[in-house]
Amino acid sequence: EIVLTQSPGTLSLSPGERATFSCRASRSVSGNYLAWFQQRPGQAPRLLIYGASSRATGVPDRFSGSGSGTDFTLTISRLEPEDFAVYSCQHYDTSSPLTFGQGTRLEIK
Amino acid sequence: EVHLLQSGGGLVQPGGSLRLSCEASGFSFSNYAMTWVRQAPGKGLEWLSAISPSANTRYHADAVRGRFSISRDNSKNTLYLQMDSLRAEDTAVYYCAKNLAEGLATYEYWGQGTLVTVSS
């Protein structure tokens, strides 16, 4: 099983700042089959990024993904008030059971 | 517009059973693999089960294999999760989700979630 470890656990920032989230895999994720989700309290997850760097439909271009192999990053270039939420990564390399990271909470500083 | 409407959650005693349903609309249901994911209170997301478009292939996570069973009825555009021998640790919000595309097991559309509470 590929274990995904996200850091930091909590990120405290202000609107307008840049946010960077890390997702590290215990072994290489083939095909860059890595996705990022946003989840607000009481809501279902929202797909932001798939294929490590492709934005999902309707996702603003302030969200970007990068990385390959075992190290992946989600960046929000300039935080808006609605961006404060929990962010989770997921691998969908079907050579291994599908797993999610434990999540990073983005809170208002 | 894609919509996934879930039903069937609730309170059940340990050892009991529940069946969750997920009615799909707005897309060609029979062409997409579908998935169940859960989230225990205060915890991260956990992939549970997936089923191919024609239901000829099914996958379950180790945590639920032998107790949970995924199925679908393409004539009713509905996905199911039969949950037997429920345990306290199965308490969670359960989500159905539509696979992004063939061979891409990530999820652009999700149901609203349904709470399952296993307690005596």
Side-chain angles (χ1 to χ4, degrees):
Chain A
E1 172 177 303
I2 297 176
V3 176
L4 299 177
T5 302
Q6 293 187 240
S7 61
T10 302
L11 192 55
S12 299
L13 294 169
S14 300
E17 291 192 292
R18 181 184 188 90
T20 303
F21 305 85
S22 172
C23 177
R24 179 161 290 177
S26 57
R27 63 174 173 84
S28 184
V29 177
S30 67
N32 285 341
Y33 289 142
L34 193 287
W36 289 95
F37 293 88
Q38 176 193 68
Q39 191 174 21
R40 300 186 178 111
Q43 295 187 14
R46 173 196 181 195
L47 179 65
L48 298 175
I49 300 288
Y50 64 95
S53 60
S54 297
R55 268 189 300 276
T57 304
V59 175
D61 60 8
R62 65 179 181 275
F63 291 90
S64 63
S66 63
S68 64
T70 61
D71 289 295
F72 299 89
T73 300
L74 172 71
T75 301
I76 309 174
S77 59
R78 186 177 173 84
L79 287 167
E80 298 286 343
E82 62 268 26
D83 297 338
F84 292 88
V86 175
Y87 292 82
S88 300
C89 56
Q90 178 225 358
H91 91 80
Y92 50 104
D93 173 357
T94 54
S95 68
S96 174
L98 305 185
T99 55
F100 292 84
Q102 81 280 16
T104 293
R105 179 179 305 277
L106 175 61
E107 64 177 25
I108 299 177
K109 186 174 182 180
Chain B
E1 181 185 0
V2 173
H3 197 55
L4 300 174
L5 181 62
Q6 296 183 226
S7 59
L11 175 65
V12 62
Q13 291 188 337
S17 298
L18 274 178
R19 188 176 81 157
L20 306 183
S21 299
C22 171
E23 184 175 357
S25 59
F27 66 101
S28 182
F29 180 72
S30 61
N31 287 346
Y32 287 87
M34 298 291 293
T35 296
W36 288 98
V37 174
R38 72 182 177 186
Q39 187 168 36
K43 302 295 185 181
L45 298 162
E46 180 184 16
W47 176 87
L48 289 182
S49 302
I51 187 167
S52 63
S54 60
N56 57 358
T57 307
R58 309 175 196 212
Y59 305 92
H60 294 87
D62 288 347
V64 301
R65 189 173 297 121
R67 300 188 299 122
F68 291 11
S69 178
I70 189 171
S71 63
R72 64 192 295 161
D73 185 336
N74 286 345
S75 69
K76 296 181 178 179
N77 289 347
T78 302
L79 174 73
Y80 302 101
L81 185 67
Q82 177 66 41
M83 304 185 296
D84 298 322
S85 303
L86 283 159
R87 306 167 180 167
E89 56 265 34
D90 295 319
T91 294
V93 174
Y94 286 71
Y95 295 100
C96 63
K98 168 189 171 289
N99 283 36
L100 181 62
E102 183 178 355
L104 299 182
T106 191
Y107 320 112
E108 187 169 22
Y109 294 100
W110 297 68
Q112 82 277 18
T114 186
L115 177 62
V116 172
T117 303
V118 184
S119 175
S120 54

